[in-house]
Amino acid sequence: MRLVLLGPPGAGKGTQAGSLKEDLKVPHISTGDILREEMKAGTALGLDVKKYVESGKLVPDEVVTKIIETRLVAGDKANQGFMLDGFPRTKKQAEDLDAILTKANKPLDYAIYFDTSLPVIVQRLTGRRVCRQCNALYHTANKPPKKEGVCDTCAGPLYQRPDDNEETIKTRMDVYLKSTAPIIDYYQAQGKLKKVNADKDALDVKGHLMKIFHADGKINQDKVRRRN
Ligand code: ADP
Ligand code: ZN
């Protein structure tokens, strides 16, 4: 299955991808996670993108598209399928992704639009905590770890992303509405858009997604392919 997860920050794209990657056996590729890892490692790329990420602005299209192209082509991810989270974020990125996938003869199955309201977004982002080691996601109220400040999965330390503060959240929402929301129509026009109500809790959203995949025979088809 080849999916794009679309929607505002805090919509729960990363949470669903983290859960679905086990069921679908499809890798989760998050440009935000990749950029934060580069920053943490202090690479040249990490230093270049730091000012954008910390202020909630978009990293230039060519930088992120190159990252995705390398993962999809060199990592051969287009063969196993993928869930792209946080990419594409502009119309240009969406067009470039189509070009990459057309060339590889691996078109997208769906773009899933996580429809979310503003109060829910703010509540989710301000309470979000992230594992420094494995990027697992938690929330102080909605999904607290068993032991405060410690990841359930890998025992790594949890932290609050510096861009999850009210002011930067506002910038990220403005950027989302101006640059990213228009690609909802782009995928609608291709007949690939599926919309889910992402204000609901994570289990309900996952149930809705699984229903979509089953209804189109995507899950069974994949199983057959694996057996062959
Ligand atoms: P969220 O979905 O919570 O807003 P992400 O982790 O997806 O956050 O992204 C964090 C930051 O990384 C963005 O605010 C932006 O600076 C940068 N970034 C991630 N993906 C892209 C992209 N596709 N294009 C440009 N910038 C990006
Ligand atoms: Zn962890």
Side-chain angles (χ1 to χ4, degrees):
M1 190 112 58
R2 292 181 290 274
L3 304 175
V4 158
L5 309 183
L6 261 183
K13 308 180 296 288
T15 300
Q16 292 302 325
S19 160
L20 285 170
K21 70 180 177 200
E22 314 293 338
D23 300 272
L24 305 177
K25 306 275 181 279
V26 165
H28 169 206
I29 305 177
S30 155
T31 40
D33 285 350
I34 295 169
L35 295 172
R36 281 184 291 276
E37 267 155 28
E38 296 283 343
M39 285 162 54
K40 189 168 91 178
T43 63
L45 173 62
L47 290 174
D48 267 359
V49 301
K50 197 171 159 52
K51 60 178 182 294
Y52 302 103
V53 175
E54 286 184 346
S55 63
K57 305 241 171 71
L58 291 183
V59 171
D61 287 334
E62 56 279 13
V63 176
V64 276
T65 302
K66 184 89 212 133
I67 293 175
I68 287 296
E69 186 170 19
T70 309
R71 299 265 162 152
L72 291 182
V73 177
D76 218 14
K77 287 270 165 37
N79 278 331
Q80 319 164 33
F82 51 77
M83 288 179 280
L84 293 181
D85 163 13
F87 183 94
R89 244 180 171 91
T90 63
K91 181 121 182 287
K92 173 85 173 86
Q93 292 177 18
E95 289 164 352
D96 287 345
L97 175 63
D98 274 345
I100 293 166
L101 296 177
T102 303
K103 203 168 142 203
N105 200 17
K106 303 278 179 205
L108 280 183
D109 292 301
Y110 305 115
I112 311 249
Y113 169 43
F114 288 63
D115 191 16
T116 326
S117 66
L118 190 59
V120 172
I121 291 171
V122 174
Q123 191 267 358
R124 287 194 187 146
L125 291 178
T126 49
R128 171 158 70 184
R129 298 293 182 272
V130 187
C131 174
R132 214 176 266 289
Q133 215 159 265
C134 77
N135 298 319
L137 296 172
Y138 296 88
H139 189 282
T140 50
N142 311 352
K143 196 194 173 194
K146 292 201 182 83
K147 187 170 169 217
E148 204 192 317
V150 180
C151 177
D152 292 349
T153 322
C154 79
L158 305 187
Y159 80 112
Q160 181 169 27
R161 274 170 45 179
D163 60 340
D164 279 346
N165 66 73
E166 296 231 12
E167 199 195 322
T168 314
I169 290 171
K170 193 173 174 316
T171 307
R172 285 155 62 203
M173 273 312 292
D174 290 345
V175 169
Y176 169 76
L177 290 173
K178 183 167 163 279
S179 305
T180 310
I183 61 183
I184 297 167
D185 289 340
Y186 175 87
Y187 287 117
Q188 178 82 57
Q190 291 189 355
K192 298 217 162 144
L193 197 77
K194 298 278 179 191
K195 177 167 145 178
V196 294
N197 176 355
D199 275 357
K200 301 224 165 167
D201 71 35
L203 269 178
D204 288 337
V205 175
K206 185 172 176 189
H208 189 172
L209 291 172
M210 294 305 270
K211 231 192 216 160
I212 292 172
F213 304 148
H214 274 295
D216 283 10
K218 291 290 179 195
I219 292 185
N220 292 337
Q221 221 174 302
D222 279 352
K223 278 206 187 108
V224 174
R225 241 186 260 132
R226 267 204 302 278
R227 241 181 262 134
N228 288 343

